């Protein structure tokens, strides 16, 4: 999914982005904007689910839970 947003203004470390027809407001870290971005620029944000990373994260959590269970059983 791609989202277009316009840079409304900068406040401290953040850019205030206006998104969509309703102009929802998002505070976005300036460090994550393209170099040279300025007020009034329209940017595109791509949002996607990374299924492989999601699955890998679940496996890491399951592994940690198993280790905790084994550790607690030894007490």
């Amino acid at each position: 999914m791609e989202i277009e947003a316009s840079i409304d203004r900068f406040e401290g470390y953040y850019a205030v982005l206006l998104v969509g027809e309703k102009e929802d407001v998002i505070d976005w870290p300036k460090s994550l904007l393209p170099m040279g971005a300025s007020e009034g620029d329209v940017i595109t944000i791509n949002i996607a689910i990374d299924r492989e990373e999601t699955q890998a994260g679940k496996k890491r959590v399951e592994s940690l839970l198993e280790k905790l269970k084994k550790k607690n059983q030894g007490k």
Side-chain angles (χ1 to χ4, degrees):
M1 168 194 303
E2 283 192 352
I3 298 172
E4 283 192 348
S6 62
I7 302 172
D8 183 58
R9 63 187 180 279
F10 294 104
E11 293 182 357
Y13 294 104
Y14 294 93
V16 178
L17 304 181
L18 302 178
V19 181
E21 292 177 15
K22 294 182 182 179
E23 293 192 330
D24 294 317
V25 176
I26 297 175
D27 290 336
W28 189 268
K30 286 197 300 190
S31 61
L32 297 179
L33 289 174
M35 212 174 209
S38 59
E39 293 176 0
D41 284 347
V42 175
I43 61 171
T44 302
I45 302 167
N46 186 344
I47 300 174
I49 297 171
D50 186 330
R51 302 270 184 218
E52 289 180 20
E53 271 306 309
T54 300
Q55 194 61 31
K58 287 180 182 180
K59 286 182 180 180
R60 283 191 299 271
V61 169
E62 288 172 3
S63 174
L64 289 171
L65 285 173
E66 282 302 313
K67 287 179 184 178
L68 285 172
K69 285 180 187 177
K70 287 179 183 177
K71 184 177 179 180
N72 285 334
Q73 288 174 355
K75 290 184 177 183

